Amino acid sequence: MLKVGELALRAGMTVRTLHHYDSLGLLSPSARSSSGNRLYSEADATRLSRIQLLKQNGHSLGQIKQMLEAGSQPPRTLISQQLDSLAAQQRHIEKLRVRLLRLNQKAGKGTLHLGSDWIGTLEMLVLQEEVLSESEVAALQAIEDRLDNLEPSWEALVSDVQSAITAQVSENSLCARTLAWRWMRLVHLTVGEDAELAFKLTLLQRNSQRAQQLNYIHSDMLDWIMVSFTYARLALFSTYLTSSEHEDLASRQLHHLWQWQPLITLAREHQRNGHDITSPGVRELAQQWRRLFRASHYGDDLELERKVRHAYEREPELSKYTGLNNSLLEFINRALAVI
C-alpha cells in the first residue's frame, strides 16, 4: 500500500491534486491507516495512470469519471461520445482562430492598438457570434475594411448623441432629427441592405449590458434615436396634412413604433425562403401588415389614408432606412393583393 505522498511522488503530481480527486469520487484510497491516513493499492495506482492518460488527451475530470465508471456501456458508445466532444472542441478552436485572424488583420492595418482595446474587440466578436448565424458573421467579416473605416464616424456620432441626451434636447427638435438621419445612414453603410442583420445587432445592443459597456451605446440612446427618427419621418408628412392630422399621425406612429421591426424581419424571412404569396404563412403576414399599417397611420379616417398614401408616393425618403427595399415592398404588395 502507498501513502498519499508516495503515490503523488510516483505519479509526478501534488498531494493536493490527489485530495481533489478523492473529493470528486474520481480516485479514492482503498484503505486508511490506523491514524486515518489514505492508503492506495496498486489497482488505485493503475486507475490514476488511466486518469492521467485521459486527461492528457483533453478530457475533463467529469468525462474521465464517466468513462471509468461506465463499465456497462459498450465501448463504441463511449468512443462516439468522445468523438462528438472532440468535434465540439475543434469547432470552438476554429471559431477562436477566425476571431484572432480578424484581430490580427486589424492590428496589421493599424486600426487596433495595444492595451484593453483589442480585448474589448474580441469580446464584441464573441457577443455577436452568440446572436448571429454563420452567414451573418461571414457577412460582417466580408465588410471588415468598411467597418474599420466607419469606426471613427461611429465614435463621433455616439458622442454627439450622448451630448444631446445629456442636454435634454427634444427628440422633435431639428438637432435630434438631424442626428437620427446621421445614425440611420451610418447603420445603412455598416450593414448595407441587410436589415435583418441591423435588427439583430440592435437587439444585441439593447439586451446586452456588456455590449453597452464596450461601445457606450445604451438602450436609452437607442430609444432616443428611434423616437427622433420617427419625428424626422413625420416632418416629411407636414406639407400634406393639416396640423390636427399631423398630430394624429404622430400619436399613431409613436404608439406602434416598436411593432414594425419584427414584422419586417418576418417578411424578409418569408421572402428569403421563397414562400409563395398564397401560402398560409404569407397570407397571415399580409393580414398583420395591413392591420399595423392602418393602425399606425390613419385608423378609420379615409381622408387621412388618402393623404398618407399620396405622401408615400411623393416622398421616397419615407421608406429610407426602414428596412424596406423595392424587392421586399413588391413581395408584400403582391401578398396584400391576394387578400
Side-chain angles (χ1 to χ4, degrees):
M1 302 294 285
L2 297 170
K3 295 180 180 178
V4 65
E6 294 170 334
L7 180 60
L9 183 63
R10 177 166 150 177
M13 59 175 51
T14 65
V15 170
R16 185 175 180 179
T17 299
L18 289 177
H19 287 174
H20 180 56
Y21 287 179
D22 188 9
S23 68
L24 295 176
L26 183 61
L27 178 68
S28 298
S30 295
R32 296 257 181 181
S33 67
S34 57
S35 58
N37 293 324
R38 295 173 172 83
L39 296 174
Y40 294 87
S41 66
E42 281 299 326
D44 296 331
T46 300
R47 181 180 174 92
L48 178 58
S49 297
R50 292 185 173 186
I51 292 171
Q52 289 179 299
L53 177 63
L54 292 170
K55 195 168 185 295
Q56 288 170 2
N57 284 316
H59 300 293
S60 68
L61 295 180
Q63 292 172 330
I64 294 171
K65 183 179 179 183
Q66 182 184 18
M67 294 169 71
L68 292 177
E69 294 178 354
S72 59
Q73 285 188 308
R76 188 168 185 177
T77 300
L78 290 172
I79 293 170
S80 295
Q81 290 174 351
Q82 296 313 305
L83 286 172
D84 291 341
S85 176
L86 286 173
Q89 291 178 41
Q90 286 177 327
R91 290 193 296 270
H92 176 75
I93 291 170
E94 178 59 20
K95 279 187 176 182
L96 179 59
R97 188 185 73 84
V98 171
R99 291 172 194 151
L100 292 176
L101 280 173
R102 291 175 66 186
L103 290 177
N104 196 42
Q105 289 173 355
K106 287 176 177 287
K109 292 182 294 187
T111 58
L112 202 62
H113 309 289
L114 291 175
S116 60
D117 182 32
W118 73 272
I119 301 176
T121 303
L122 181 60
E123 281 190 85
M124 184 57 74
L125 294 179
V126 173
L127 291 173
Q128 290 173 354
E129 289 172 4
E130 290 175 355
V131 299
L132 300 180
S133 66
E134 290 185 8
S135 62
E136 288 166 335
V137 171
L140 278 180
Q141 293 174 6
I143 58 175
E144 199 71 62
D145 289 339
R146 185 166 66 200
L147 294 179
D148 290 339
N149 294 333
L150 291 176
E151 190 170 332
S153 299
W154 270 115
E155 291 176 355
L157 181 54
V158 169
S159 177
D160 290 345
V161 171
Q162 188 56 61
S163 296
I165 294 174
T166 302
Q168 298 183 336
V169 173
S170 169
E171 292 96 330
N172 195 18
S173 66
L174 177 59
C175 172
R177 297 198 300 267
T178 302
L179 286 171
W181 280 118
R182 280 177 59 193
W183 189 284
M184 293 303 176
R185 178 178 177 275
L186 204 50
V187 169
H188 181 76
L189 290 174
T190 300
V191 300
E193 292 288 329
D194 197 337
E196 281 185 83
L197 180 56
F199 292 164
K200 284 188 176 182
L201 291 175
T202 299
L203 194 62
L204 165 65
Q205 201 60 45
R206 183 177 294 281
N207 295 334
S208 171
Q209 185 177 2
R210 185 55 186 150
Q212 295 172 16
Q213 293 170 344
L214 288 169
N215 58 23
Y216 309 106
I217 300 176
H218 300 275
S219 55
D220 59 345
M221 182 181 293
L222 294 172
D223 290 340
W224 190 89
I225 284 293
M226 286 300 295
V227 173
S228 299
F229 184 59
T230 301
Y231 279 118
R233 294 179 68 251
L234 283 165
L236 298 173
F237 284 102
S238 59
T239 58
Y240 302 91
L241 309 176
T242 65
S243 59
S244 61
E245 289 172 335
H246 196 269
E247 289 177 9
D248 183 19
L249 178 60
S251 175
R252 291 177 179 277
Q253 289 279 289
L254 292 170
H255 181 72
H256 297 282
L257 175 61
W258 300 107
Q259 297 176 28
W260 278 108
Q261 281 192 0
L263 196 57
I264 292 172
T265 300
L266 180 60
R268 284 183 169 273
E269 184 178 332
H270 280 300
Q271 184 191 35
R272 184 179 63 252
N273 292 332
H275 293 167
D276 190 87
I277 57 173
T278 60
S279 66
V282 177
R283 290 173 67 92
E284 175 59 27
L285 165 72
Q287 296 281 10
Q288 292 181 47
W289 194 281
R290 183 171 62 178
R291 287 193 296 267
L292 182 55
F293 190 85
R294 173 176 289 180
S296 62
H297 286 86
Y298 47 78
D300 297 324
D301 190 333
L302 296 180
E303 178 62 14
L304 180 55
E305 176 184 2
R306 184 188 66 80
K307 292 181 178 180
V308 164
R309 293 189 181 279
H310 180 62
Y312 271 107
E313 292 172 359
R314 301 294 294 272
E315 300 289 344
E317 295 281 298
L318 283 171
S319 298
K320 199 171 185 179
Y321 306 144
T322 60
L324 298 171
N325 55 28
N326 291 335
S327 173
L328 185 61
L329 283 171
E330 181 184 354
F331 175 79
I332 293 167
N333 285 329
R334 288 193 293 116
L336 288 168
V338 170
I339 64 170

